[in-house]
Amino acid sequence: MCRPSATAPNSTTACPASGTSCIPTNRTTARAAPTRASATAGLDRWSVARQFRVAFGTSPTRYRTPRQLDLARGLIRARVPLPDVAVRAGFADQAHLTRMFRRAYGLTPAVWSAAVGARRPGRR
């Protein structure tokens, strides 16, 4: 599996391993990437998932979720409102963000935000 360059997250780059073009991965294409990868590679989505697991040691979803949560934590630190954090990080809605956040860290995003001092001024 190849990954696009970190400098151009929305562009297509050449894969060093195969010479084919990489799938752009950003928050808006994260869900579509397995379908595009299977079309580009000429494999069904299950074969792509198996190859991903061999290459990275985990499923595509389990690989993606921690990256979404890292992005969400950065946005929370930047004092972005939680509904916007959820959308920007690629979650379906704020409830989805909260479930994944609690599962990973044992705290809700609001409690974590207060603990790290990222709450907006004037909020109690």
Side-chain angles (χ1 to χ4, degrees):
M1 277 294 185
C2 61
R3 289 180 253 172
S5 70
T7 57
N10 293 322
S11 66
T12 303
T13 59
C15 179
S18 67
T20 61
S21 63
C22 289
I23 310 305
T25 55
N26 63 20
R27 292 175 295 286
T28 59
T29 61
R31 298 254 180 229
T35 305
R36 289 185 188 163
S38 61
T40 301
L43 302 169
D44 63 89
R45 68 184 203 163
W46 306 112
S47 296
V48 172
R50 279 192 298 274
Q51 289 181 6
F52 189 95
R53 185 180 296 275
V54 168
F56 294 100
T58 189
S59 70
T61 300
R62 288 190 179 183
Y63 182 86
R64 183 188 66 229
T65 301
R67 278 125 199 99
Q68 287 177 294
L69 290 170
D70 287 343
L71 175 60
R73 287 187 311 169
L75 292 169
I76 292 168
R77 279 191 188 107
R79 298 181 175 165
V80 175
L82 289 178
D84 294 338
V85 169
V87 171
R88 289 185 192 180
F91 293 99
D93 55 17
Q94 186 177 348
H96 185 210
L97 166 66
T98 300
R99 279 192 311 275
M100 295 289 115
F101 204 95
R102 184 182 295 142
R103 185 179 297 164
Y105 305 120
L107 301 169
T108 65
V111 171
W112 184 83
S113 175
V116 296
R119 276 217 144 149
R120 284 180 273 139
R123 301 258 336 229
R124 294 180 198 255

